[in-house]
Amino acid sequence: MSHHDERTFVMIKPDGVQRGLIGEIVSRFEDRGLKLVGGKFIRMDEALAHEHYGEHEGKPFFDGLVEFITSGPVFAMVWEGADATRQVRAMVGETDPADSAPGTIRGDFGLDLGHNVIHASDHEDEGANDREIDLFFDEDEFVDYDLDAAAWVYEDETH
Ligand code: IDP
Ligand code: MG
């Protein structure tokens, strides 16, 4: 079942947490058939924020981004499934909620670029997933189990 086990890093940002969207967003990934393998509710410190958003250091919005992402708790998760990184990014929408199609998370729950509810690893950035998963999770924090629904999600999964 190797092609079902791609892992991707997802994080509900402080605005999503404060607006009570954790359940709604988790539901969307569950409904899609993805498997939750790790999750943690944390307050990011400045060092973690700098490391996570290192690629944006020096950009005009960087300081505001670090201030925002450390301003309250975030819910970090790892989801697993076929083509998970690309599929999750498609469910998330564009970086700017104003450009995001209705039906996507940012398109349904946001209006402002600086408060776009959710982070997901970039499928176009080869190393992003592994880097972000490693940054937020230790290997022993992943839960090893079979998701029974997988037998109905994937045609080639056995019952
Ligand atoms: P992404 O979250 O869709 O991958 P990135 O370009 O990687 O988008 O930017 C990371 C985050 O930085 C965005 O999600 C958004 O919160 C913030 N951001 C990006 N560009 C801007 C901007 O021009 N103004 C304010 N915030 C921005
Ligand atoms: Mg990005």
Side-chain angles (χ1 to χ4, degrees), residues 12-13 17-18 40 42 47 52 54 57 66 71 81 88-89 94 101 103 105 112 115 119 127 138 146:
I12 302 174
K13 295 182 178 181
V17 172
Q18 291 291 349
K40 56 168 67 169
I42 56 164
H52 177 62
E57 206 144 5
V66 169
S71 68
V88 165
R89 277 299 282 212
E94 302 300 323
I105 293 166
D112 190 305
H115 285 176
H119 167 86
D138 294 326
D146 291 323

Side-chain angles (χ1 to χ4, degrees), residues 148 151-152 154-155 157-159:
D148 291 340
W152 302 98
Y154 300 108
E155 187 182 19
E157 190 101 4
T158 49
H159 296 267

Side-chain angles (χ1 to χ4, degrees), residues 52-53 55-56 89 95 106 119-122 125 128 132:
H52 177 62
Y53 281 126
E55 64 174 305
H56 299 299
R89 277 299 282 212
T95 299
R106 286 170 174 166
H119 167 86
S121 288
D122 191 346
D125 176 356
E132 293 175 358

Side-chain angles (χ1 to χ4, degrees), residues 96-122:
D96 190 344
D99 297 328
S100 298
T104 63
I105 293 166
R106 286 170 174 166
D108 285 348
F109 301 121
L111 288 168
D112 190 305
L113 174 56
H115 285 176
N116 61 6
V117 180
I118 187 168
H119 167 86
S121 288
D122 191 346

Side-chain angles (χ1 to χ4, degrees), residues 14-103:
D15 54 335
V17 172
Q18 291 291 349
R19 291 178 54 202
L21 295 173
I22 293 177
E24 165 73 37
I25 291 169
V26 167
S27 274
R28 288 185 179 215
F29 297 131
E30 288 179 324
D31 288 352
R32 190 74 196 280
L34 292 163
K35 174 183 173 183
L36 183 64
V37 294
K40 56 168 67 169
F41 188 56
I42 56 164
R43 177 92 176 242
M44 288 172 69
D45 63 21
E46 211 160 298
L48 182 58
H50 274 252
E51 199 157 351
H52 177 62
Y53 281 126
E55 64 174 305
H56 299 299
E57 206 144 5
K59 293 181 186 171
F61 61 85
F62 182 73
D63 290 348
L65 177 59
V66 169
E67 194 178 330
F68 164 62
I69 210 70
T70 58
S71 68
V74 299
F75 191 54
M77 297 159 275
V78 176
W79 288 90
E80 192 178 279
D83 195 29
T85 315
R86 197 168 66 91
Q87 297 303 329
V88 165
R89 277 299 282 212
M91 292 170 76
V92 163
E94 302 300 323
T95 299
D96 190 344
D99 297 328
S100 298

